[in-house]
Amino acid sequence: MLCLTTSHFKHIRSVIQDPLLSWVRRRGGVLMAKFESRSRYVLTVLWIMTTLLIAMFVPDISKVISVIGGISAFFIFIFPGLCLMFAMQSEPVSCKTRVALTIWGVVTLICGAFIFGQSTTIAVMELLGKI
């Protein structure tokens, strides 16, 4: 069973909600308190429904943990690689440093995509009973 505190859920919700709200702002939309409130309700309901579905259909939590382990490659490799690549576009560094760190970001991104794809695919195939 997933056990999350209120502060965990607030962080998870903000990770999803903040890009959504900034997207609305960039499109020239005016953020109303009503929109923000509705998005909080929708995200809360989606989170609860997802947790409920996982609890109902996955009898063994170790299978869920293996899928989460595969997804963690995203946060270990892909996300830092992307951050490094984007940081090199805006930070004042020498051309040589910019190229070297951008290449390192691309290598990290590619390795992370491979690890993510392989481990998540294996975990999902085990979950579906195909391995």
Side-chain angles (χ1 to χ4, degrees):
M1 174 176 255
L2 296 173
C3 180
L4 296 172
T5 64
T6 305
S7 67
H8 286 113
F9 183 70
K10 285 180 184 178
H11 292 311
I12 293 167
R13 185 177 58 208
S14 71
V15 165
I16 297 169
Q17 189 177 22
D18 290 348
L20 175 67
L21 296 177
S22 68
W23 178 74
V24 170
R25 282 188 204 112
R26 272 183 303 193
R27 294 197 64 201
V30 177
L31 278 181
M32 296 183 286
K34 197 174 201 179
F35 176 78
E36 188 173 352
S37 175
R38 282 185 186 163
S39 67
R40 284 177 180 247
Y41 288 127
V42 169
L43 290 172
T44 302
V45 168
L46 286 174
W47 183 258
I48 291 170
M49 292 302 294
T50 303
T51 306
L52 180 63
L53 289 172
I54 290 171
M56 287 172 44
F57 293 110
V58 179
D60 187 9
I61 193 69
S62 67
K63 301 199 186 240
V64 174
I65 291 171
S66 67
V67 173
I68 291 171
I71 293 171
S72 68
F74 180 82
F75 296 105
I76 296 170
F77 294 102
I78 297 172
F79 184 66
L82 285 172
C83 287
L84 183 60
M85 288 169 37
F86 284 108
M88 289 301 100
Q89 293 177 3
S90 61
E91 292 297 316
V93 294
S94 70
C95 184
K96 196 182 238 185
T97 303
R98 182 182 319 269
V99 169
L101 290 177
T102 301
I103 290 171
W104 180 252
V106 170
V107 168
T108 304
L109 182 71
I110 290 170
C111 290
F114 174 75
I115 293 168
F116 168 75
Q118 181 186 23
S119 59
T120 304
T121 301
I122 290 171
V124 169
M125 289 177 71
E126 285 178 355
L127 187 65
L128 298 175
K130 305 221 177 195
I131 291 183

